[in-house]
Amino acid sequence: MIIAERKPIEEILGLLSKHQKVLVLGCGGCVTVCLAGGEKEVGILSSQLTMARSKEERPLEIVQKTIERQCDFEYFEGIRHIVKDVDAILSLACGIGIQTCAEAFPDKIVWPGVNTKFLGVNLNVGEWAERCQACGQCVLDKTGGICPVARCSKSIFNGPCGGSQDGKCEVSPDTDCAWALIHDRLTRLGEVDSLREILPVKDWSYSRDGGPRKLVREDLELESGK
Amino acid sequence: MSANADFQPKIIVFACENSGWLAAEHAAELALSYPERVELIKLPCSGKIDVLFFMKALEKADGTIVLACQKENCKFIKGNIRAAQRVKQTENLLKEIGIEPERVGLYYLAANMGHKFVEIIQNFYDKIRELGPNPGKVIK
Ligand code: SF4
Ligand code: SF4
């Protein structure tokens, strides 16, 4: 899932400073699960914002809404009537949702209410960790299901490097060495010899190498387009 | 005493139905009185309290508290611990926007403590009276 964190309140208050009426728009997807921008966070943030502005004697009217997902255009259709009446939208979706929102409402100011952090996993209540960098050509089959791109601080493919100590990465004692994890897991599975295989260098052309990526699946396309 | 001697705070009290709520009923049986502008809301457990409830309460009140069972005496084991955590979270949200964190609170008591209930309410009421009106109130 995409992990995000709400922006500091002063920053959001700054973004909204010139508005009198805004829509605080939550997303029912990833940001609901990571407690950054779902219905409840929309409620709490809206309370904080209205109180802060009331204290400054510059009231802010807030409309609250959370849609199914902000990364799909169709879910914005049902809120057009709300958007029409507000000065701006504060989107609590991830960076993808915020941009889709802005694209859906080209004449409306859309502000980001969260910082999108990474693609990750929920380890514990209030604790998340990065797991994938969407490199475009997954190598998990070669690495015991542990990603060297996202979880090795140097994204190397021939680790561990000299900085690996007692299973930890030299970057921080809190960070597991991905290559120690890979080695341990493959040992456990009786597959450690597979690491002896000499692999060709990773083809980064599937990653950011060619600029923004796009995926088109002709088998799924309909004549009407989006 | 606050500068505004006429100020009568509005207080919203969330009360666990196994302690605070019964203590309020006990206080009523004993014909004890407490300030008028105190609104009670029953919760199935103090652990049901939510940051959002406190924030919504403070949109229209000057202070809000949750009444929980005595420590280690929660019927649902950890409800009062969760309540304490949510009070802390709310305090932080208030501090972030420059509102006194003292406007939210947690008090422990038992079902048969009618007198204690009134004492808690009165003390909190007096404390909020000292603080003055909630500057962030949205619904005046
Ligand atoms: S907009 Fe972002 S946060 Fe919401 S569902 Fe889509 S990817 Fe997840
Ligand atoms: S190898 Fe690439 S696609 Fe696979 S988990 Fe790592 S970053 Fe993600």
Side-chain angles (χ1 to χ4, degrees):
Chain A
M1 128 182 90
I2 294 180
I3 310 299
E5 184 180 38
R6 211 198 71 197
K7 279 183 177 289
I9 192 79
E10 318 85 70
E11 188 179 341
I12 298 180
L13 281 166
L15 297 175
L16 303 184
S17 63
K18 60 176 191 234
H19 305 306
Q20 267 97 51
K21 184 172 180 182
V22 298
L23 166 63
V24 176
L25 186 61
C27 171
C30 316
V31 289
T32 291
V33 185
C34 71
L35 309 176
E39 194 173 3
K40 187 151 145 193
E41 292 73 35
V42 166
I44 294 170
L45 175 63
S46 299
S47 252
Q48 245 190 327
L49 291 172
T50 44
M51 280 199 247
R53 285 282 292 266
S54 184
K55 183 167 159 267
E56 291 172 18
E57 299 192 352
R58 287 188 317 118
L60 176 67
E61 194 183 332
I62 291 187
V63 185
Q64 302 178 32
K65 185 80 192 161
T66 298
I67 59 174
E68 188 72 24
R69 278 197 298 281
Q70 291 193 34
C71 52
D72 267 318
F73 286 101
E74 65 243 46
Y75 296 111
F76 293 102
E77 289 310 315
I79 60 164
R80 286 205 180 275
H81 62 290
I82 303 176
V83 170
K84 187 165 61 59
D85 292 333
V86 296
D87 306 342
I89 303 170
L90 177 73
S91 167
L92 298 193
C94 72
I96 304 162
I98 298 164
Q99 293 180 66
T100 316
C101 182
E103 221 174 312
F105 302 112
D107 304 318
K108 202 54 79 174
I109 300 172
V110 177
W111 298 113
V114 307
N115 291 320
T116 301
K117 305 292 226 184
F118 48 78
L119 306 181
V121 63
N122 192 186
L123 294 178
N124 209 332
V125 183
E127 192 184 341
W128 296 270
E130 185 165 18
R131 285 292 184 267
C132 172
Q133 284 188 0
C135 75
Q137 201 188 35
C138 195
V139 300
L140 289 176
D141 57 317
K142 306 268 188 298
T143 57
I146 292 155
C147 173
V149 182
R151 299 177 70 181
C152 163
S153 303
K154 298 167 185 159
S155 295
I156 55 174
F157 278 69
N158 56 347
C161 73
S164 177
Q165 292 276 324
D166 301 323
K168 297 293 174 190
C169 172
E170 65 179 332
V171 164
S172 148
D174 297 333
T175 305
D176 288 327
C177 165
W179 278 100
L181 293 175
I182 293 168
H183 186 272
D184 291 352
R185 182 164 156 88
L186 288 175
T187 304
R188 213 161 47 241
L189 297 175
E191 299 282 342
V192 73
D193 280 347
S194 68
L195 288 176
R196 293 184 186 280
E197 189 190 339
I198 306 290
L199 301 175
V201 289
K202 183 166 166 64
D203 184 353
W204 288 102
S205 68
Y206 294 94
S207 186
R208 285 280 304 166
D209 158 284
R213 291 171 280 180
K214 197 175 167 190
L215 174 68
V216 179
R217 278 188 55 190
E218 284 168 6
D219 57 323
L220 294 177
E221 279 188 318
L222 299 174
E223 65 289 348
S224 58
K226 95 178 173 194
Chain B
M1 270 303 259
S2 90
N4 182 358
D6 297 333
F7 169 53
Q8 291 189 310
K10 179 165 177 57
I11 309 285
I12 296 183
V13 178
F14 294 95
C16 160
E17 68 179 7
N18 300 302
S19 54
W21 187 265
L22 297 175
E25 286 180 354
H26 189 225
E29 281 162 23
L30 299 173
L32 305 175
S33 65
Y34 56 87
E36 224 175 85
R37 299 188 74 217
V38 173
E39 191 181 314
L40 257 81
I41 297 174
K42 181 155 75 169
L43 297 178
C45 169
S46 63
K48 182 73 190 83
I49 193 66
D50 200 290
V51 171
L52 185 58
F53 298 175
F54 280 140
M55 294 300 281
K56 284 280 154 207
L58 288 172
E59 283 185 23
K60 66 170 196 171
D62 300 291
T64 181
I65 56 173
V66 59
L67 300 180
C69 297
Q70 305 279 27
K71 284 184 185 166
E72 296 181 8
N73 211 15
C74 169
K75 195 171 170 185
F76 300 102
I77 305 170
K78 287 187 175 165
N80 49 6
I81 298 172
R82 302 265 191 271
Q85 196 180 7
R86 286 170 202 144
V87 168
K88 269 256 138 332
Q89 291 166 342
T90 312
E91 284 173 350
N92 289 338
L93 292 177
L94 294 177
K95 275 190 238 162
E96 280 181 357
I97 52 172
I99 292 177
E100 307 88 341
E102 294 82 9
R103 293 188 185 276
V104 60
L106 162 68
Y107 295 89
Y108 303 98
L109 76 178
N112 60 355
M113 292 180 148
H115 283 281
K116 177 82 179 171
F117 169 82
V118 170
E119 185 191 312
I120 289 170
I121 301 293
Q122 190 63 55
N123 286 347
F124 186 71
Y125 185 89
D126 292 344
K127 183 165 103 177
I128 298 297
R129 225 166 106 82
E130 285 284 318
L131 269 182
N134 169 12
K137 220 191 280 183
V138 181
I139 305 157
K140 311 265 178 187

